[in-house]
Amino acid sequence: GENVEQHPSTLSVQEGDSAVIKCTYSDSASNYFPWYKQELGKRPQLIIDIRSNVGEKKDQRIAVTLNKTAKHFSLHITETQPEDSAVYFCAASRGASFGNEKLTFGTGTRLTIIP
Amino acid sequence: DARVTQTPRDKVTEMGQEVTMRCQPILGHNTVFWYRQTMMQGLELLAYFRNRAPLDDSGMPKDRFSAEMPDATLATLKIQPSEPRDSAVYFCASAANGGSPLHFGNGTRLTVT
């Protein structure tokens, strides 16, 4: 089955700096890669996703890049703010219908923004 | 803002007791997932259903866990008998066909003493 590795497990950055979280996956058939943000005591919430036919996607301060050849994808957060502090999970799945195929999650990155 | 609804929000029980967790997926979503979250294992898929049919429950300990969808608006996860190692947050999530992202409920925090 799919295996998703995520690094680093913890990350601290100064407010205003950029943060980068990296994931690798094992299943070459995976074609959908979402990122979830989970605040303490709350549910994971989708922040951005990317499909395998796209190399990069941006949404304001958040961007995701995908390298299918190397089987890795990354989350980039620019101009970080205190409210970006949370645990971030990457995930991967195969199948044409994206969200309704089972997701395999990475182990999470605890991001702390230092004011 | 449609949401996945899970009950109970918190459950404390003694070892050996039966635990039932319930989930109401977003109306129109045909795929329902059960995930378990622990510090050690992260988010693990336990089981999932599409159009109420079980597709994969390989992540679920079969001897004590069972998952069902009695109808399209209700999914249940039962543990009988519960053990302290079952203590975790159990998330239900749902998605629709055709490119809908996965939406999580608020979870059930289970503590087995």
Side-chain angles (χ1 to χ4, degrees):
Chain A
E2 174 68 278
N3 182 49
V4 178
E5 295 191 356
Q6 184 172 348
H7 300 280
S9 57
T10 60
L11 179 61
S12 295
V13 300
Q14 291 289 139
E15 182 178 353
D17 288 350
S18 296
V20 180
I21 302 170
K22 299 182 179 181
C23 289
T24 61
Y25 61 98
S26 61
D27 185 355
S28 57
S30 288
N31 59 9
Y32 174 62
F33 308 92
W35 286 87
Y36 282 81
K37 176 183 180 182
Q38 187 178 27
E39 296 176 349
L40 189 62
K42 298 194 175 180
R43 60 194 169 105
Q45 291 192 281
L46 179 72
I47 55 171
I48 195 167
D49 56 11
I50 192 167
R51 305 171 190 174
S52 61
N53 59 346
V54 175
E56 182 176 359
K57 184 177 178 181
K58 292 181 77 170
D59 183 2
Q60 299 180 35
R61 297 186 296 108
I62 294 173
V64 57
T65 58
L66 171 64
N67 183 327
K68 282 220 76 179
T69 302
K71 291 191 281 188
H72 67 71
F73 55 113
S74 300
L75 177 71
H76 304 252
I77 306 174
T78 59
E79 301 172 16
T80 53
Q81 301 169 4
E83 54 264 37
D84 294 330
S85 294
V87 178
Y88 291 80
F89 292 94
C90 62
S93 77
R94 53 161 76 181
S97 295
F98 312 115
N100 75 345
E101 295 294 335
K102 64 178 180 179
L103 289 173
T104 300
F105 285 88
T107 49
T109 296
R110 183 175 300 279
L111 175 63
T112 302
I113 306 303
I114 304 166
Chain B
D1 183 22
R3 294 214 174 175
V4 176
T5 303
Q6 287 187 249
T7 56
R9 189 76 173 90
D10 289 278
K11 176 72 176 179
V12 180
T13 191
E14 292 183 349
M15 181 173 63
Q17 297 298 306
E18 177 178 301
V19 175
T20 299
M21 291 169 269
R22 293 179 173 80
C23 169
Q24 180 176 2
I26 293 173
L27 188 64
H29 282 194
N30 69 331
T31 308
V32 177
F33 302 80
W34 285 104
Y35 281 90
R36 176 170 63 184
Q37 186 174 38
T38 61
M39 288 295 292
M40 294 300 294
Q41 300 296 328
L43 279 160
E44 302 172 277
L45 178 67
L46 296 176
Y48 78 110
F49 297 77
R50 180 162 300 132
N51 298 322
R52 296 176 56 201
L55 286 190
D56 185 351
D57 63 0
S58 58
M60 202 165 66
K62 303 291 191 308
D63 56 337
R64 299 183 299 108
F65 285 60
S66 62
E68 295 179 346
M69 277 203 76
D71 61 59
T73 65
L74 177 64
T76 61
L77 180 66
K78 291 186 180 181
I79 308 174
Q80 169 62 24
S82 58
E83 297 181 1
R85 58 179 168 154
D86 301 329
S87 297
V89 179
Y90 291 80
F91 285 104
C92 175
S94 71
N97 270 335
S100 162
L102 188 63
H103 295 264
F104 281 84
N106 286 326
T108 293
R109 181 177 299 276
L110 174 64
T111 304
V112 183
T113 61

